[in-house]
Amino acid sequence: MAHQHSQDNPEMQQCIQMCQECHSICLQTVTHCLHMGGMHAEEAHIKLLLDCAEICQTSANFMLRSSDLHAEICRACAVVCERCAEDCERMGDDVEMQRCAQTCRRCAESCRQMAAMMAA
Amino acid sequence: MAHQHSQDNPEMQQCIQMCQECHSICLQTVTHCLHMGGMHAEEAHIKLLLDCAEICQTSANFMLRSSDLHAEICRACAVVCERCAEDCERMGDDVEMQRCAQTCRRCAESCRQMAAMMAA
Amino acid sequence: MAHQHSQDNPEMQQCIQMCQECHSICLQTVTHCLHMGGMHAEEAHIKLLLDCAEICQTSANFMLRSSDLHAEICRACAVVCERCAEDCERMGDDVEMQRCAQTCRRCAESCRQMAAMMAA
Amino acid sequence: MAHQHSQDNPEMQQCIQMCQECHSICLQTVTHCLHMGGMHAEEAHIKLLLDCAEICQTSANFMLRSSDLHAEICRACAVVCERCAEDCERMGDDVEMQRCAQTCRRCAESCRQMAAMMAA
């Protein structure tokens, strides 16, 4: 599977899409949180959103290149997405935060599956 | 308009989507061209695809942040996309190259409009 | 000059170094400003620092690839760096902000020269 | 240590510098290898250089943000750098390839230490 191109691999296509969606929502949520201020704009929360946006972008790029090493990045990406989801949930019942948390959880799940598939 | 968030701006949403699509196709095309070899794998062509992928990513990220300065980046992005489209067309009637060229042209047009809107 | 590799071009080497330094300081300053809170953590200021960090990274990468189109990116980078410098100065006499402002100014100047060299 | 800022952590400062150096050399080596052609421009080799450049950039950015999750990224970065070093050595005694291989090895070692420090 390692040598298959991403376009011919439906699971990888789906994981790329999840990572891109998660990247987009995390970046938009940074702007939302800075605008809200207060606990939303705390250092740890904004940094997690920036971390999550960046590793999702990198993970998507490895898969778009059909890189043989994408599983290493997907594994790290799943950890960051999971942590970001928890932190967004901590912010309460704000619609934007809930949407970001759900997207991060789905992306974490997709990246874990992609990493496990390579290890198999 | 500068202070409006990207989610509430349909033109910006569309330009973000074009930049993300162009970024994805350019990165996939790098792998395709390296695989083909020959003129497809020439230094100037691969570098243009990498340039285009990267500035499209940066341009999308500026708009996702609802940055006041996104027009500066969109203007530069349009130039790079246009040049990349020409170079892909030069490669002949390969389906992948034609698809990449068309996406680059549409992204260039979208970025030019976004830059002009801010200058108005 | 367009076809010369970055390693053999001292002006380009210096501009790469300025962009990398400016990228690093802007990212570190994001963390500093979020930690400070108050006006330092305002949406517009953090977004400018993120914008500046990202376009400096992209600009450095174009030059590291010895891209023919680096002047387009350097021109946009100079505008963003200049704006970021002004915003950092607005924050008062904080040592970190002054250091960030000065680095942004030097990077803007270096990028303007690089862009002008190509236009000549 | 997780909450210490990168500027006050000499080991992290050194790892940031290694990642930035490795990122720069890998990108310059892409241009060099495409220029050389032949085995240097093979798909697998160029993709590894692009992978290594990108994860080094992401790893440096996590540390510049003093991210609590930088160890996850450093661990993945070490794997990619190690693989890239092996592939560069495979290219023979070209001076540029040897320099790239050595930098990748040093970066891999630095990232492994950074990851281990957090796990301790």
Coordinates of all heavy atoms in Angstrom, one line a residue, chain A residues 29-30 32-50 87 90-91 97, chain C residues 30-38 41-42 46, chain D residues 5:
Chain A
T29 N -11.1 29.0 14.2 CA -11.5 29.0 15.7 C -10.5 29.9 16.4 O -10.8 30.5 17.4 CB -11.6 27.6 16.2 OG1 -12.5 26.9 15.5 CG2 -12.0 27.6 17.7
V30 N -9.2 29.9 16.0 CA -8.2 30.8 16.6 C -8.8 32.3 16.6 O -8.8 33.0 17.6 CB -6.9 30.8 15.9 CG1 -6.0 31.9 16.3 CG2 -6.2 29.5 16.2
H32 N -11.9 33.3 16.1 CA -13.1 33.3 16.9 C -12.7 33.5 18.4 O -13.3 34.3 19.1 CB -13.9 32.1 16.7 CG -15.0 31.9 17.7 ND1 -16.2 32.7 17.7 CD2 -15.2 31.0 18.8 CE1 -17.0 32.3 18.7 NE2 -16.4 31.3 19.3
C33 N -11.8 32.7 18.9 CA -11.4 32.7 20.3 C -10.7 34.0 20.7 O -10.9 34.5 21.8 CB -10.5 31.5 20.6 SG -11.4 29.9 20.7
L34 N -9.8 34.5 19.8 CA -9.2 35.8 20.1 C -10.2 36.9 20.2 O -10.1 37.8 21.0 CB -8.1 36.1 19.1 CG -6.9 35.2 19.0 CD1 -6.1 35.5 17.8 CD2 -6.0 35.4 20.3
H35 N -11.2 36.8 19.4 CA -12.3 37.8 19.3 C -13.1 37.7 20.6 O -13.5 38.7 21.2 CB -13.2 37.5 18.1 CG -14.2 38.6 17.8 ND1 -13.9 39.8 17.3 CD2 -15.5 38.6 18.0 CE1 -15.0 40.5 17.2 NE2 -16.0 39.8 17.6
M36 N -13.4 36.5 21.1 CA -14.2 36.3 22.3 C -13.4 36.8 23.5 O -14.0 37.4 24.4 CB -14.4 34.8 22.5 CG -15.3 34.1 21.5 SD -17.0 34.5 21.7 CE -17.4 33.4 23.1
G37 N -12.1 36.6 23.6 CA -11.3 37.0 24.7 C -11.5 36.0 25.9 O -12.2 35.0 25.8
G38 N -11.1 36.5 27.1 CA -11.3 35.7 28.3 C -10.6 34.3 28.2 O -9.5 34.2 27.7
M39 N -11.3 33.3 28.8 CA -10.7 31.9 28.8 C -10.4 31.4 27.4 O -9.5 30.6 27.1 CB -11.5 30.9 29.6 CG -12.8 30.5 28.9 SD -13.9 29.5 29.9 CE -13.0 27.9 29.9
H40 N -11.3 31.9 26.4 CA -11.1 31.4 25.0 C -9.7 31.9 24.5 O -9.1 31.2 23.6 CB -12.2 32.0 24.1 CG -13.5 31.3 24.3 ND1 -14.4 31.6 25.3 CD2 -14.1 30.4 23.5 CE1 -15.4 30.9 25.2 NE2 -15.3 30.1 24.1
A41 N -9.2 33.0 25.0 CA -8.0 33.5 24.4 C -6.7 33.2 25.3 O -5.7 33.8 25.1 CB -8.1 35.1 24.3
E42 N -6.9 32.2 26.2 CA -5.8 31.9 27.0 C -4.7 31.2 26.2 O -5.0 30.5 25.3 CB -6.2 30.9 28.2 CG -6.8 31.7 29.4 CD -7.5 30.8 30.4 OE1 -7.3 29.5 30.3 OE2 -8.2 31.3 31.2
E43 N -3.4 31.4 26.7 CA -2.3 30.9 26.0 C -2.4 29.4 25.6 O -2.2 29.1 24.4 CB -1.0 31.1 26.8 CG 0.3 30.7 26.2 CD 1.5 30.7 27.2 OE1 1.4 31.3 28.3 OE2 2.5 30.1 26.8
A44 N -2.7 28.6 26.6 CA -2.7 27.1 26.3 C -3.7 26.7 25.2 O -3.4 25.9 24.4 CB -2.9 26.4 27.6
H45 N -4.9 27.4 25.2 CA -5.9 27.0 24.3 C -5.6 27.5 22.9 O -5.7 26.7 21.9 CB -7.2 27.7 24.7 CG -8.4 27.3 23.8 ND1 -8.7 26.0 23.5 CD2 -9.3 28.1 23.2 CE1 -9.8 26.0 22.7 NE2 -10.1 27.3 22.5
I46 N -5.1 28.7 22.7 CA -4.8 29.2 21.4 C -3.6 28.4 20.8 O -3.6 28.0 19.6 CB -4.4 30.7 21.4 CG1 -5.6 31.6 21.9 CG2 -3.9 31.2 20.1 CD1 -6.8 31.6 21.0
K47 N -2.6 28.1 21.7 CA -1.5 27.3 21.2 C -1.9 25.9 20.7 O -1.4 25.4 19.7 CB -0.4 27.2 22.3 CG 0.5 28.4 22.3 CD 1.3 28.6 23.6 CE 2.1 27.4 23.9 NZ 2.9 27.6 25.2
L48 N -2.8 25.3 21.4 CA -3.3 24.0 21.0 C -4.0 24.0 19.7 O -3.8 23.2 18.8 CB -4.3 23.4 22.1 CG -3.8 22.3 23.0 CD1 -4.8 21.9 24.0 CD2 -3.3 21.1 22.1
L49 N -4.8 25.1 19.5 CA -5.5 25.3 18.2 C -4.4 25.5 17.0 O -4.6 24.9 15.9 CB -6.4 26.4 18.2 CG -7.7 26.2 19.0 CD1 -8.4 27.6 19.3 CD2 -8.7 25.3 18.3
L50 N -3.4 26.2 17.3 CA -2.3 26.4 16.3 C -1.6 25.2 16.1 O -1.2 24.8 14.9 CB -1.4 27.6 16.8 CG -2.0 29.0 16.8 CD1 -1.0 29.9 17.5 CD2 -2.3 29.5 15.4
D87 N -9.8 20.2 24.9 CA -9.7 21.6 25.3 C -10.8 22.4 24.8 O -11.3 23.3 25.5 CB -8.3 22.1 24.8 CG -7.8 23.2 25.8 OD1 -7.7 22.9 27.0 OD2 -7.4 24.3 25.3
R90 N -13.9 21.7 26.9 CA -13.7 22.4 28.2 C -14.3 23.9 28.1 O -14.6 24.4 29.2 CB -12.2 22.5 28.5 CG -11.8 22.7 29.9 CD -10.3 22.5 30.1 NE -9.5 23.4 29.2 CZ -9.3 24.7 29.4 NH1 -9.8 25.3 30.5 NH2 -8.5 25.4 28.5
M91 N -14.4 24.4 26.9 CA -14.8 25.8 26.8 C -16.4 26.0 26.9 O -16.9 27.1 26.9 CB -14.4 26.4 25.4 CG -13.0 26.5 25.2 SD -12.2 27.9 26.1 CE -10.6 27.1 26.6
M97 N -17.1 26.2 19.3 CA -16.2 25.3 20.0 C -16.7 23.8 19.9 O -15.8 22.9 19.8 CB -16.1 25.6 21.5 CG -15.6 27.1 21.8 SD -14.2 27.6 20.8 CE -13.0 26.4 21.3
Chain C
V30 N 4.1 35.5 19.7 CA 2.7 35.1 19.9 C 2.5 34.5 21.3 O 1.6 34.9 22.0 CB 2.3 34.0 18.8 CG1 1.0 33.3 19.2 CG2 2.2 34.7 17.4
T31 N 3.4 33.6 21.6 CA 3.3 32.9 23.0 C 3.5 33.9 24.1 O 2.7 34.0 25.1 CB 4.4 31.8 23.1 OG1 4.1 30.8 22.1 CG2 4.5 31.2 24.5
H32 N 4.5 34.8 23.9 CA 4.7 35.9 24.9 C 3.4 36.8 25.1 O 3.0 37.1 26.2 CB 5.9 36.8 24.4 CG 6.1 38.0 25.2 ND1 6.5 38.1 26.5 CD2 5.8 39.3 24.9 CE1 6.6 39.3 26.9 NE2 6.1 40.1 26.0
C33 N 2.8 37.2 24.0 CA 1.7 38.1 24.0 C 0.4 37.4 24.6 O -0.3 38.0 25.3 CB 1.4 38.6 22.6 SG 2.6 39.8 22.0
L34 N 0.2 36.1 24.3 CA -0.9 35.4 24.8 C -0.7 35.3 26.3 O -1.7 35.3 27.1 CB -1.0 34.0 24.2 CG -1.4 34.0 22.7 CD1 -1.3 32.6 22.1 CD2 -2.9 34.5 22.5
H35 N 0.5 35.1 26.8 CA 0.9 35.0 28.2 C 0.6 36.3 28.9 O 0.1 36.3 30.0 CB 2.4 34.6 28.3 CG 2.8 34.2 29.7 ND1 2.4 33.0 30.3 CD2 3.5 34.9 30.6 CE1 2.9 33.0 31.5 NE2 3.6 34.1 31.7
M36 N 1.0 37.4 28.3 CA 0.8 38.8 28.8 C -0.7 39.1 29.0 O -1.2 39.7 29.9 CB 1.4 39.8 27.9 CG 2.9 39.8 27.8 SD 3.7 40.4 29.2 CE 3.6 42.2 28.9
G37 N -1.5 38.7 27.9 CA -2.9 39.0 27.9 C -3.2 40.5 27.7 O -2.2 41.2 27.2
G38 N -4.4 41.0 27.9 CA -4.7 42.4 27.7 C -4.6 42.8 26.2 O -4.9 42.0 25.3
A41 N -2.9 40.5 23.7 CA -3.6 39.3 23.2 C -4.8 39.6 22.3 O -5.6 38.8 22.1 CB -4.0 38.4 24.4
E42 N -4.9 40.9 21.9 CA -6.0 41.3 21.1 C -5.9 40.6 19.7 O -4.8 40.4 19.2 CB -6.0 42.8 20.9 CG -6.7 43.5 22.0 CD -6.6 45.0 22.0 OE1 -6.1 45.5 20.9 OE2 -6.9 45.7 23.0
I46 N -2.4 39.5 17.5 CA -2.0 38.1 17.3 C -2.0 37.7 15.9 O -1.1 37.0 15.4 CB -2.8 37.2 18.2 CG1 -2.7 37.6 19.7 CG2 -2.5 35.7 18.0 CD1 -1.4 37.3 20.3
Chain D
H5 N 9.1 28.5 28.6 CA 9.2 29.0 27.3 C 10.5 28.6 26.6 O 11.5 28.5 27.2 CB 9.0 30.6 27.3 CG 7.5 30.9 27.5 ND1 7.0 32.2 27.3 CD2 6.5 30.1 27.8 CE1 5.7 32.2 27.5 NE2 5.4 30.9 27.9

